[in-house]
Amino acid sequence: MAILPTHRPRRNRKSEVIRNMVQETNLTTNDFIYPLFLIEGQNQTIEVSSMPGIYRFTADRLIDEIGQAVALGIKAFAPFPSINDALKDRLAKESANPEGLYLKTVADIKRQFPDVVIMTDVAMDPYSSDGHDGVVDAESGEILNDASLEVLGQMALAQARAGADIIGPSDMMDGRVAWIRDVLDRNAFSHVSIMSYTAKYASAFYGPFRDALDSAPKKGDKKSYQMNPANKREALRELALDEQEGADMVMVKPALSYLDVIHAVKEHTHLPVTAYNVSGEYAMIKAAAQNGWVDGEKTMMEVLLSIKRAGADAILTYFAKEAAEVLRRG
């Protein structure tokens, strides 16, 4: 007679009530940070061709979009600007202009929605005539780390003055967290948080984002400052430095192909861990769904759940609004 199993894990899967009761990971709208694309002009909403369902908004329309998202329970937003080429220069001076598109919009969002959290982006590429995250040496083409820190510090300070709740340095320059923390603290913004892009990889998944904001480098690539996708231990070195320098939260970007890195970072820190479910990851799911190859809604929720299961406490995702609607339906 065959010996039947004593241990039967299926007993914990036999009904929906039991499955829900023992579920280890749960998604809520509290987990989402909604990235938004900001453009010049008025009363315009322009779809990003490589990101179906995602739009570039003028400031007035972006305020409307935030209102709709707030009604769905989303409470955190990360706007990214598309800056007119005429305003770009090698030192990204427009990034600290309080009358510029980005800073005026951040201030307006905080006036109209004082209870939402606004995370701003600190990197030179939206404002740089070179399209890089740091200052480019005119002769050698080298990205100058220490010269970039001064620009990034002034950018972060301007964003804090505009009302940013969280500063997000995405540039990957060495020492930028300590530099920005010092600038903020010396100017009475010790209450403003820093969410460091701790492990930001030189990834092919950023393509649609660069299309949306026209922010690709004019020459070369970003491999001298963004991380090699082959490396995981290096992420833990970056984590240790960010902790020492005063980061309040740490991020892994991208998310879906770096779940092992998210897990490793989570295992090595007591800081909140975030992950960026980037534009290329979004675009792949949308394209497959449009072709009928996958169920888009179920795939979206499975991907977001996997990112949280890996260890992310919060997720920057273009799916935020759509996922919030699914969660509202239960």
Side-chain angles (χ1 to χ4, degrees):
M1 178 178 174
I3 299 175
L4 297 177
T6 300
H7 299 284
R8 294 181 180 267
R10 286 184 58 192
R11 285 193 284 258
N12 287 341
R13 306 174 198 150
K14 65 185 178 184
S15 75
E16 184 175 1
V17 172
I18 291 176
R19 289 193 297 271
N20 290 340
M21 183 173 64
V22 300
Q23 183 167 316
E24 299 172 23
T25 307
N26 291 283
L27 280 172
T28 75
T29 53
N30 291 327
D31 299 319
F32 300 147
I33 302 171
Y34 186 14
L36 296 162
F37 296 132
L38 172 65
I39 57 173
E40 296 274 6
Q42 288 185 325
N43 197 33
Q44 293 185 57
T45 302
I46 303 171
E47 188 169 28
V48 181
S49 60
S50 53
M51 299 178 71
I54 296 299
Y55 297 86
R56 289 170 285 213
F57 300 98
T58 53
D60 52 343
R61 289 294 187 90
L62 185 136
I63 293 290
D64 294 340
E65 178 72 2
I66 289 176
Q68 294 175 28
V70 167
L72 290 168
I74 299 169
K75 305 176 182 70
F77 301 88
F80 294 89
S82 177
I83 303 299
N84 189 302
D85 283 348
L87 298 174
K88 297 180 181 181
D89 60 50
R90 63 181 299 271
L91 295 178
K93 294 174 186 174
E94 180 65 14
S95 66
N97 177 11
E99 297 302 314
L101 171 69
Y102 191 54
L103 298 181
K104 284 183 69 175
T105 302
V106 168
D108 196 27
I109 294 169
K110 289 301 293 184
R111 277 194 297 269
Q112 298 198 44
F113 299 97
D115 295 329
V116 306
V117 166
I118 297 299
M119 174 185 170
T120 51
D121 179 55
V122 173
M124 289 178 58
D125 55 332
Y127 314 92
S128 167
S129 52
D130 296 300
H132 276 283
D133 294 17
V135 176
V136 180
D137 184 274
E139 294 184 4
S140 68
E142 179 187 356
I143 312 302
L144 302 175
N145 191 97
D146 296 358
S148 301
L149 297 183
E150 180 68 35
V151 178
L152 299 171
Q154 293 307 305
M155 188 186 309
L157 179 58
Q159 292 172 358
R161 285 173 172 157
D165 300 286
I166 301 172
I167 300 296
S170 63
D171 55 283
M172 290 302 288
M173 297 298 123
D174 292 339
R176 86 274 203 209
V177 172
W179 187 283
I180 291 170
R181 184 74 274 160
D182 180 63
V183 169
L184 293 176
D185 289 355
R186 284 190 289 106
N187 287 275
F189 288 103
S190 59
H191 60 285
V192 174
S193 306
I194 296 176
M195 182 191 294
S196 175
Y197 285 60
T198 294
K200 181 179 180 180
Y201 286 87
S203 171
F205 285 100
Y206 303 149
F209 179 97
R210 291 173 181 168
D211 290 344
L213 297 182
D214 189 25
S215 61
K218 299 300 184 286
K219 291 183 181 179
D221 55 39
K222 301 190 177 187
K223 292 180 180 179
S224 71
Y225 48 100
Q226 294 180 357
M227 285 178 54
N228 184 340
N231 294 355
K232 181 165 71 172
R233 292 196 306 271
E234 186 181 5
L236 300 181
R237 183 184 184 197
E238 292 280 6
L239 169 65
L241 290 169
D242 281 354
E243 288 183 317
Q244 292 170 16
E245 292 178 21
D248 300 287
M249 295 169 253
V250 295
M251 184 201 295
V252 175
K253 179 185 181 183
L256 190 54
S257 291
Y258 298 84
L259 297 177
D260 60 324
V261 180
I262 296 170
H263 179 72
V265 168
K266 183 69 171 181
E267 291 291 298
H268 285 82
T269 188
H270 294 295
L271 294 178
V273 176
T274 65
Y276 200 143
N277 178 210
V278 299
S279 59
E281 297 167 348
Y282 174 92
M284 287 194 308
I285 293 172
K286 284 295 183 181
Q290 286 182 345
N291 280 284
W293 299 333
V294 299
D295 182 310
E297 188 173 284
K298 290 180 180 178
T299 305
M300 167 187 72
M301 298 306 288
E302 184 176 338
V303 162
L304 293 173
L305 195 66
S306 75
I307 296 168
K308 189 169 183 192
R309 187 190 66 238
D313 298 293
I315 306 169
L316 286 89
T317 179
Y318 302 96
F319 286 120
K321 192 177 175 186
E322 189 176 350
E325 291 170 345
V326 173
L327 292 171
R328 172 166 285 194
R329 296 201 307 265

